Amino acid sequence: MMQYSIFSDADWLFPDSAHSEERAVELLAPRGGHGAAQLLCDLPAGTAPRFVWEGDPGPEVRLFQLLPVGVNENTSATLMTTTDYESCRDFVTRRAPFQVYDALRPLDGPLPEGRAALYLSVEASVQTAPGTYTGKLLLTDREAVPVRCRVSGAEVPAPGKGTVGVLNFFDYDNLAAQHGVEKGSEAYWALFRQYVRAELDMRCTHILLPPGEAVFEEGKLTGFDFTLARRAGQIAAEEDAPWLCGGHIAHWHDWDDGEYYPNWDQKTGVTTPEGYLQMQKYFRQWRQVIEDNGWQGRMAQALADEPQTYNDRTYRVLAGMCRKFLPGVPIIDAVETTNLGGGIDVWVPKQDTYEKWRDTYEALKAEGEEMWFYTCAFPAGAIMNRSMDLPLTASRAVMWMGALYRLSGFLHWGFNYYIGDDIWNSACCPHKGALLPAGDAHIVYPGPEGPWRSMRFEAQRAGVEEWELLARALRAAPEETEALIREVCSSFREYTREGKVLLDARAKLIRILERADSGPQHGNQF
């Protein structure tokens, strides 16, 4: 008998993981969402797993081979990474270096002999009839893994149709470098389309476009070339992205710098007369692109990443220029200050920044300001992030914190910032003389025909689905739902490390919604 075993999708699986006692896949999926599991198998040569439903056709099933990725250093307790395991052993999963199954290669043929890890995901569309579906994952002619999935009547709305917004930054240069194609070529745009589809699959609602490129003649700025931004926006719109987001156009030189400088002119401050004229030229041309493509009503604008207390007033000046030439376009940015009133429409404080100034952000939110949050490499330590040496629950439960704090969106900077020579064996990418925590720079991998997902990608996707369900449950049964969230997490540093705890809470969440749907309806309660 072939040796295989089943694991949840909420815990990490490693190449040296011992087999579990589970021999059948039991899943729960809301309509518009998914349910998934991991499998560890010891396979004979030539095994080509495939899935079949019994009886009537069931929901779509996606199969992947899990590939190991090397974590070269541990997340530091204070900043970036460390080789001092004793300083971080209380919150990381393993001592680096180690390998973990993170990358998902679409399964399309036979597997080599030996140990293999698989990922099976049942994708329940909103049209899927609620009920229990049974099927088999055929490993060989004689060996089959029984699979049962209960599809709930609880429904996850499509991205952009619910409560939660999501934005992941996109690296247009690395797309060309990692895939060996010329930036702006037809091959490049075919790959980009695959990346947009991946972002939408991860429930991103906003696709970040590249900024316009400055054009100089004899050293004088004459205009901007929006060719790349135009084509990227057209493809994203064709793929039904709910929102497009104009790329960042300015930045400060140092953290305590009070001025912003255009990306194309690092000597001219935006608050100078010359800086204003440059911004005027930029925004006028960009507005024409937006109007020519009919993007009004679905366009947002990022201006300058992470405004903070030293330059928040300057940021508001820049925002005023944007509002003059792009009226009606909401401004969204990651922020490190509370003093941006009138200069921003979608506030995105970092998770620890939000908790530090929570009272002020709550007061803003109470008066109708839209409030998201973001995570990145800072701060390090046990705080929820998507680092590959933290429990996988951290990548998923962080979305439950969004529901607990009644926030409405999530941002992360690193969708595909492939930094370094070998991200497969060195997931801690170099950054300013140090290393970023493992996986912080990217949540997909460069496959031969487009992006490959990661387990962190799947955890974020599942977490956003649950956030949508939690938002609805908080309206239907607020006290019960909030108590349920606190079984999983109570702050960005206090969360369960056990996937079973999270999945049990998820099952209770779905039962809350099923009960609400079957009970008497009192007006527009949802």
Side-chain angles (χ1 to χ4, degrees):
M1 178 180 292
M2 177 186 298
Q3 191 171 22
Y4 73 84
S5 53
I6 312 303
F7 298 82
S8 84
D9 66 334
D11 295 300
W12 286 116
L13 194 57
F14 304 92
D16 62 352
S17 290
H19 280 283
S20 73
E21 296 181 358
E22 297 296 326
R23 299 276 294 176
V25 176
E26 296 280 346
L27 300 177
L28 172 62
R31 290 184 302 154
H34 76 288
Q38 301 176 90
L39 294 84
L40 190 63
C41 315
D42 295 317
L43 301 175
T47 303
R50 60 188 181 89
F51 183 86
V52 293
W53 289 114
E54 297 175 349
D56 295 334
E60 177 188 1
V61 173
R62 294 179 177 177
L63 287 175
F64 300 87
Q65 180 188 8
L66 285 160
L67 301 179
V69 177
V71 174
N72 44 318
E73 291 192 8
N74 281 121
T75 299
S76 168
T78 55
L79 184 67
M80 305 294 269
T81 64
T82 182
T83 56
D84 179 10
Y85 176 65
E86 294 303 316
S87 67
C88 62
R89 66 181 303 161
D90 290 342
F91 61 86
V92 300
T93 56
R94 287 193 168 197
R95 181 175 192 156
F98 65 88
Q99 288 192 321
V100 60
Y101 284 118
D102 185 52
L104 276 63
R105 182 185 73 84
L107 194 56
D108 56 4
L111 295 171
E113 181 178 5
R115 171 154 288 200
L118 306 178
Y119 178 81
L120 180 151
S121 179
V122 175
E123 313 282 328
S125 71
V126 293
Q127 288 80 30
T128 304
T132 299
Y133 297 82
T134 59
K136 296 178 180 179
L137 176 61
L138 303 172
L139 298 177
T140 67
D141 292 339
R142 298 182 178 180
E143 200 78 50
V145 181
V147 176
R148 184 169 65 174
C149 180
R150 183 173 80 83
V151 176
S152 169
E155 182 177 324
V156 179
K161 302 296 185 182
T163 300
V164 182
V166 178
L167 170 61
N168 274 238
F169 291 176
F170 192 86
D171 190 324
Y172 286 83
D173 292 323
N174 267 323
L175 172 61
Q178 285 292 327
H179 290 279
V181 296
E182 182 181 354
K183 188 176 179 181
S185 66
E186 286 304 310
Y188 176 92
W189 291 122
L191 284 163
F192 175 73
R193 189 179 295 276
Q194 298 303 316
Y195 274 83
V196 169
R197 290 174 178 172
E199 287 205 68
L200 297 176
D201 277 348
M202 201 174 70
R203 300 193 64 85
C204 288
T205 55
H206 293 58
I207 302 298
L208 186 70
L209 307 182
E213 299 179 358
V215 177
F216 292 91
E217 294 181 9
E218 298 180 355
K220 182 180 179 180
L221 179 68
T222 58
F224 295 88
D225 183 354
F226 286 98
T227 301
L228 288 173
R230 181 184 296 107
R231 187 67 185 119
Q234 289 169 347
I235 291 173
E238 290 166 5
E239 294 299 324
D240 294 325
W243 284 86
L244 311 176
C245 183
H248 299 92
I249 59 174
H251 209 270
W252 32 264
H253 287 167
D254 299 298
W255 182 255
D256 58 355
D257 191 348
E259 180 63 276
Y260 278 98
Y261 302 86
N263 291 346
W264 54 86
D265 184 351
Q266 294 297 291
K267 295 180 180 180
T268 302
V270 300
T271 60
T272 66
E274 172 60 23
Y276 168 71
L277 291 174
Q278 291 188 20
M279 288 296 163
Q280 180 192 74
K281 193 182 298 291
Y282 184 93
F283 285 126
R284 280 179 170 170
Q285 284 192 241
W286 183 221
R287 181 177 63 189
Q288 192 61 54
V289 174
I290 294 171
E291 292 175 353
D292 289 347
N293 286 274
W295 294 339
Q296 302 94 322
R298 69 187 307 182
M299 174 61 66
Q301 182 65 49
L303 294 177
D305 195 31
E306 296 181 326
Q308 29 73 20
T309 54
Y310 295 100
N311 54 39
D312 46 22
R313 294 185 180 183
T314 305
Y315 182 94
R316 287 155 74 179
V317 173
L318 177 59
M321 299 177 193
C322 177
R323 295 196 189 285
K324 178 176 180 178
F325 298 104
L326 297 181
V329 174
I331 297 171
I332 178 173
D333 263 319
V335 302
E336 293 287 339
T337 177
T338 60
N339 187 32
L340 293 171
I344 198 162
D345 298 292
V346 184
W347 301 69
V348 193
K350 193 159 71 243
Q351 78 273 56
D352 65 319
T353 302
Y354 181 82
E355 289 184 331
K356 178 181 177 181
W357 291 317
R358 185 180 171 190
D359 288 347
T360 303
Y361 286 125
E362 289 284 346
L364 288 164
K365 184 153 58 75
E367 294 302 321
E369 298 289 310
E370 185 170 359
M371 197 70 58
W372 292 20
F373 75 102
Y374 79 100
T375 66
C376 66
F378 309 98
I383 196 165
M384 286 180 178
N385 210 334
R386 65 184 201 196
S387 302
M388 292 161 60
D389 64 337
L390 296 183
L392 189 56
T393 52
S395 292
R396 187 163 173 171
V398 70
M399 306 303 169
W400 289 57
M401 284 304 304
L404 181 64
Y405 285 154
R406 311 305 200 268
L407 305 174
S408 58
F410 173 77
L411 180 150
H412 197 284
W413 75 274
F415 188 75
N416 68 319
Y417 284 72
Y418 307 131
I419 309 169
D421 297 328
D422 186 3
I423 61 174
W424 294 98
N425 295 297
S426 301
C428 301
C429 297
H431 178 71
K432 296 182 179 179
L435 294 178
L436 293 168
D440 189 60
H442 55 277
I443 201 166
V444 292
Y445 293 88
E449 297 180 358
W452 286 352
R453 303 172 181 218
S454 67
M455 283 303 297
R456 294 165 296 118
F457 178 113
E458 291 295 289
Q460 178 174 317
R461 179 168 76 115
V464 177
E465 289 177 9
E466 290 150 5
W467 188 353
E468 291 282 13
L469 295 176
L470 287 164
R472 183 166 175 252
L474 282 165
R475 295 191 289 272
E479 293 183 3
E480 183 181 4
T481 304
E482 181 154 334
L484 180 62
I485 296 173
R486 292 185 183 278
E487 292 180 15
V488 174
C489 51
S490 56
S491 77
F492 285 116
R493 292 185 181 273
E494 298 170 306
Y495 55 92
T496 182
R497 299 171 61 93
E498 299 178 24
K500 184 178 185 303
V501 172
L502 192 152
L503 294 180
D504 285 349
R506 175 180 183 263
K508 294 176 185 177
L509 166 64
I510 289 176
R511 286 199 292 272
I512 290 173
L513 292 172
E514 290 173 335
R515 186 177 70 236
D517 286 340
S518 63
Q521 303 296 301
H522 301 290
N524 186 22
Q525 60 176 326
F526 301 136

